[in-house]
Amino acid sequence: MKLAARRMARTLALVLPVVMVMTGTLAVTQVRWAGGADSQLLGPTGSSDAAEEPPQQQLRRHLLAELWENDPGVALDGLAQAMRERPSLTQYCTGIAKELGRAAVEKYKGNLEKARAFARPVCDESFASGVSTAR
């Protein structure tokens, strides 16, 4: 009786950690990591085109819409938030910020001073660079 109990305990001691690791790993792979604020920041993904679009394009499209609906400051704040929440997108930050700068100049019909007034220290002042090169 004691021998059977000891054998069962050894078997459990060897098998249980493996089972726990495997189920934990499988559970982690099922978590939707891009939920919550990120999915809202990146815009709706209901259409099949948006689902196929890379995250940086979704972010760019969403921020340009914010710029036109509100002002460039709102778009730049959204860009800064996206960079904090999705560090994998930081390689696209400069390009997006420059594009926002050019769009701000377009929104304000070439008024560089008005567009430049919204500059924020996001992506090494790339917004201001985009405003300057918009001519």
Side-chain angles (χ1 to χ4, degrees):
M1 185 73 140
K2 286 185 179 183
L3 185 59
R6 184 174 285 170
R7 185 176 293 163
M8 187 181 295
R10 284 184 186 164
T11 303
L12 278 175
L14 292 173
V15 173
L16 193 57
V18 172
V19 170
M20 291 176 69
V21 167
M22 291 300 293
T23 58
T25 302
L26 293 175
V28 169
T29 61
Q30 297 300 316
V31 173
R32 184 164 178 241
W33 293 105
D38 285 345
S39 61
Q40 191 175 40
L41 182 64
L42 293 177
T45 58
S47 71
S48 61
D49 291 340
E52 295 173 7
E53 192 175 48
Q56 68 272 14
Q57 288 300 102
Q58 292 178 19
L59 178 62
R60 177 179 280 120
R61 187 172 31 82
H62 174 74
L63 293 175
L64 285 169
E66 283 290 323
L67 183 140
W68 286 100
E69 290 174 16
N70 298 304
D71 63 57
V74 173
L76 287 170
D77 290 342
L79 180 60
Q81 179 184 353
M83 295 305 108
R84 284 190 303 272
E85 293 176 357
R86 305 269 315 260
S88 62
L89 294 176
T90 55
Q91 62 184 330
Y92 306 104
C93 187
T94 301
I96 293 172
K98 283 184 179 181
E99 192 170 337
L100 291 173
R102 289 188 293 267
V105 172
E106 187 179 329
K107 178 177 180 170
Y108 297 115
K109 297 173 179 46
N111 187 340
L112 295 178
E113 291 305 313
K114 188 163 186 172
R116 195 174 291 133
F118 293 98
R120 307 254 196 302
V122 178
C123 308
D124 299 326
E125 302 293 332
S126 296
F127 176 81
S129 172
V131 168
S132 298
T133 60
R135 291 187 161 237

